[in-house]
Structures are given as structure tokens and as C-alpha cells.
Amino acid sequence: METWFWILGWALSFLTILGNGITIFLVCSRGNLRTKTNAFIVSLAVADFFVGLIVIPSLFFCDIANTCDRRPQLFIGLLFSNTSAANLCGLVLESLFAIVHPLKYITFMTRRRMTQAIFFSWALPVGYTTLRHAFCIVLFQNKACPFTWLVIIPQFLICVVLILCFVSMIFHVCRHDQSARTLAKQLRFNHQVSFKTHREKSAVIMMGLVIGVFLVCYGMYLRCSFLVLSSSKCNDKNYKIPVLVLNSASNPLVYAFFKRDIKKEFKRLFGAVFYRK
């Protein structure tokens, strides 16, 4: 690996660990942040935290050792990247349900269901990645595992689910905004009917940024996987791995600037210097 790769990789890893660590600390230590949506955000932040803690550092020490077996390193890196993607899906689905069915959300999304959703966001990627890794070791031992489609299928499905959810959010917010404008004209009381729409728009903007960065980053992974599947070489590790860590590093920045309650606590922690009034 070239020098620029390690400088960029370590910088992104540091930002990922710091940003997600602060997010976890704030939500866990501030009572007003202990909401259902923020529980999903903490779960995603934990997965992103381990992406920053493991992917670049383990690759760096393996590169120094030379004799390091890269299979455990690749397994752990893939494990937490898949877990991060699954937790993002859980967060987006929860936000979609809250926007489309706000009244049902209050009664349906109990603490028990929230815990179950977060549990499956971890159990499914951990189980799938572990079984795939064990399957490849048993059948192919020291050889490279040829079943690239086992990696492509879940990554592709996650991207499709995120795109469909985001389109549904936009459609619902636009329809609700049109209805609110019509009602506002009839009642001549704009601020009362537009507040909820403004809150929905903020949630959609936040989700759009998180999903957009994720799709760009994982699009590079899918490109590499398709090249391998078509028997072509994929020599893009120098930018693919930093982009993966960049995805995990960007999420805390989105929360800090676009999620109102977390932004308020970031403001208290760091002061108003980094924020516009």
C-alpha cells in the first residue's frame, strides 16, 4: 500500500471512531435523546465505530507483519460493514414507518419491538457472514472462495430496499405538503398545519444524505464484485477501503447538522462555533 493510502485511511478511521463514539456517548448519557429513532442510530453508530476501529488498523498491522493470515481480518471487516448496512436498513425502515403511519407508529413501535428490530439488524448479518465464511473455509480451505454472488446478493438487496424506502418518503412528504397547503388556504392558519411537514422534510433530508453516501460507497463494492464475478480483475482496494470507512465517518456529521435533538446536544458539547444560528 502507498503512503497516501495509510494517511487517508488512518485519518478516516480516527474521524469514524471519534464521531460515532461521541454520538453513542451523547445518546446514552442524555435522557432527552433516548428515543426510539435514536436507539436505531446508536445501533448503527456502534457498527460504524467498529468499522473504523478494525478495517484500516487490522489491514495496517497485517501489512507490517507480512505473514499475517488475512482471512480473519477480511471476515471481521466484512462482518461489521454488513452489520452497518443492516442497521442502516433498520433505521430507514423505522423512519419510513414513522413518517407514513405516525399514529400506528406510536402504538406499534413498543420497546419490545424496537429491541427485536435492533437484534435482527445484528443477528442476520452476523449469522449470514459467519455461515458464508465457514462454508468457504470448509470447502476451499486456503483457496479463494469463488462464491462472489453470496456477497453481491445481500449488498444489492440492501441498496434496492434503501432506494425504494427513500422514494416512498419523498412521495409521502410531497403529498402531505400539498394537502397541508390546501388546508392552510382554507383555514388561513399556516404555521399550525405546516409544522409537521417541516419536521418530515428534515427527516427525509437526513435520510437522503445518509442513504446517498451509502449508495455511492457500496456502489464501488458492487462494481468490484461484478468484475470478479465476470472473471475480471478488481484492483481498486486503494480507494474502495477508504470509501467504506468514509461511509461510516460521514453518518455522525449528518446527525450533528441535520437531526435537531442530536444537533442541540452537539452544540452544548462543542459550543455554537461550529453551527449557524
Side-chain angles (χ1 to χ4, degrees):
M1 295 292 183
E2 299 180 13
T3 304
W4 69 265
F5 173 86
W6 296 122
I7 295 175
L8 178 62
W10 277 104
L12 290 174
S13 294
F14 175 77
L15 291 175
T16 302
I17 294 170
L18 180 65
N20 287 287
I22 293 174
T23 301
I24 296 168
F25 167 76
L26 286 177
V27 176
C28 293
S29 62
R30 305 291 198 270
N32 60 310
L33 293 183
R34 295 173 188 169
T35 63
K36 295 169 185 176
T37 298
N38 287 346
F40 286 90
I41 287 179
V42 166
S43 182
L44 175 59
V46 170
D48 287 335
F49 180 88
F50 281 105
V51 169
L53 187 66
I54 289 173
V55 174
I56 294 295
S58 62
L59 188 65
F60 177 77
F61 291 115
C62 271
D63 191 71
I64 292 177
N66 288 327
T67 57
C68 176
D69 186 0
R70 293 187 180 273
R71 286 180 301 174
Q73 181 263 330
L74 292 172
F75 165 70
I76 296 174
L78 186 63
L79 175 69
F80 283 108
S81 63
N82 288 343
T83 305
S84 175
N87 275 277
L88 177 59
C89 272
L91 173 62
V92 172
L93 288 171
E94 183 268 346
S95 299
L96 176 64
F97 187 54
I99 290 174
V100 177
H101 302 290
L103 297 179
K104 290 183 180 179
Y105 175 85
I106 297 173
T107 56
F108 179 83
M109 189 57 69
T110 60
R111 184 178 295 273
R112 179 184 176 184
R113 288 196 175 101
M114 178 192 71
T115 304
Q116 290 174 344
I118 292 174
F119 171 77
F120 283 113
S121 296
W122 282 83
L124 291 177
V126 169
Y128 180 84
T129 307
T130 303
L131 287 175
R132 176 189 174 275
H133 188 71
F135 178 74
C136 289
I137 289 177
V138 171
L139 291 185
F140 301 97
Q141 297 180 356
N142 294 327
K143 298 179 182 179
C145 184
F147 295 106
T148 308
W149 55 271
L150 289 174
V151 177
I152 292 178
I153 291 175
Q155 291 179 347
F156 181 76
L157 288 177
I158 287 173
C159 291
V160 171
V161 168
L162 292 177
I163 292 172
L164 292 176
C165 288
F166 184 60
V167 171
S168 298
M169 286 182 186
I170 294 176
F171 174 77
H172 176 80
V173 169
C174 290
R175 187 176 63 178
H176 185 271
D177 185 56
Q178 185 177 5
S179 300
R181 288 177 184 274
T182 303
L183 185 61
K185 290 179 182 179
Q186 296 173 350
L187 298 177
R188 299 180 182 276
F189 200 47
N190 295 332
H191 68 276
Q192 183 175 353
V193 295
S194 62
F195 173 75
K196 186 174 182 292
T197 304
H198 176 72
R199 185 175 59 186
E200 289 177 346
K201 287 180 179 179
S202 299
V204 171
I205 290 172
M206 187 191 76
M207 287 294 106
L209 290 171
V210 174
I211 292 172
V213 173
F214 175 85
L215 291 176
V216 170
C217 296
Y218 272 74
M220 295 185 179
Y221 258 96
L222 284 174
R223 170 189 171 275
C224 188
S225 298
F226 279 117
L227 286 175
V228 174
L229 196 63
S230 61
S231 301
S232 302
K233 291 185 178 180
C234 180
N235 299 318
D236 59 356
K237 185 184 292 187
N238 283 351
Y239 68 85
K240 182 178 70 174
I241 295 177
V243 165
L244 171 66
V245 183
L246 174 63
N247 173 59
S248 296
S250 64
N251 290 337
L253 296 177
V254 176
Y255 309 146
F257 286 96
F258 292 95
K259 195 168 190 306
R260 188 174 301 174
D261 54 349
I262 295 180
K263 176 180 177 179
K264 186 176 180 180
E265 295 302 326
F266 264 91
K267 240 181 181 181
R268 289 179 179 177
L269 188 63
F270 295 106
V273 178
F274 302 102
Y275 297 88
R276 294 180 180 179
K277 293 184 179 181

